[in-house]
Amino acid sequence: MLSKKQKKNSINKGHYLELMDRLYVVMNTIDAHILSHPLTDNNPDIKKKINKAIHKLWDAYQLVGNKEDSYENENNAH
């Protein structure tokens, strides 16, 4: 089993940007293919749930970006 230090070191700077990109792709796909679907447009309760999901993904995107800043601060030898 890996120690905590080994697990932490298995994450690198590129992982943050990669996850942010994947979150963006998913949000964009939901917006383009689900939010604009006629059934969604005609059902406010469905649209509300989908918008809520997009907002949660946006929160996750922001969290990853903030964690990237923290990671850089912790691992940047000045």
Side-chain angles (χ1 to χ4, degrees):
M1 182 164 273
L2 295 174
S3 70
K4 265 190 172 181
K5 186 171 182 145
Q6 288 172 318
K7 285 181 185 177
K8 183 178 177 183
N9 290 337
S10 67
I11 300 297
N12 65 52
K13 181 177 169 23
H15 287 117
Y16 294 92
L17 183 59
E18 180 181 60
L19 184 54
M20 290 172 72
D21 178 65
R22 290 178 183 183
L23 285 163
Y24 171 79
V25 169
V26 169
M27 289 185 289
N28 194 41
T29 300
I30 290 170
D31 184 53
H33 301 285
I34 297 174
L35 202 54
S36 64
H37 190 278
L39 186 60
T40 305
D41 281 340
N42 290 310
N43 286 276
D45 54 336
I46 293 172
K47 191 173 212 162
K48 183 179 177 181
K49 294 282 187 181
I50 294 167
N51 273 319
K52 194 177 212 180
I54 291 173
H55 287 294
K56 293 286 187 182
L57 289 168
W58 178 249
D59 289 345
Y61 180 94
Q62 293 292 321
L63 182 60
V64 172
N66 289 332
K67 288 188 177 287
E68 178 186 27
D69 288 343
S70 296
Y71 176 86
E72 283 197 8
N73 290 338
E74 290 174 9
N75 294 289
N76 191 3
H78 292 346

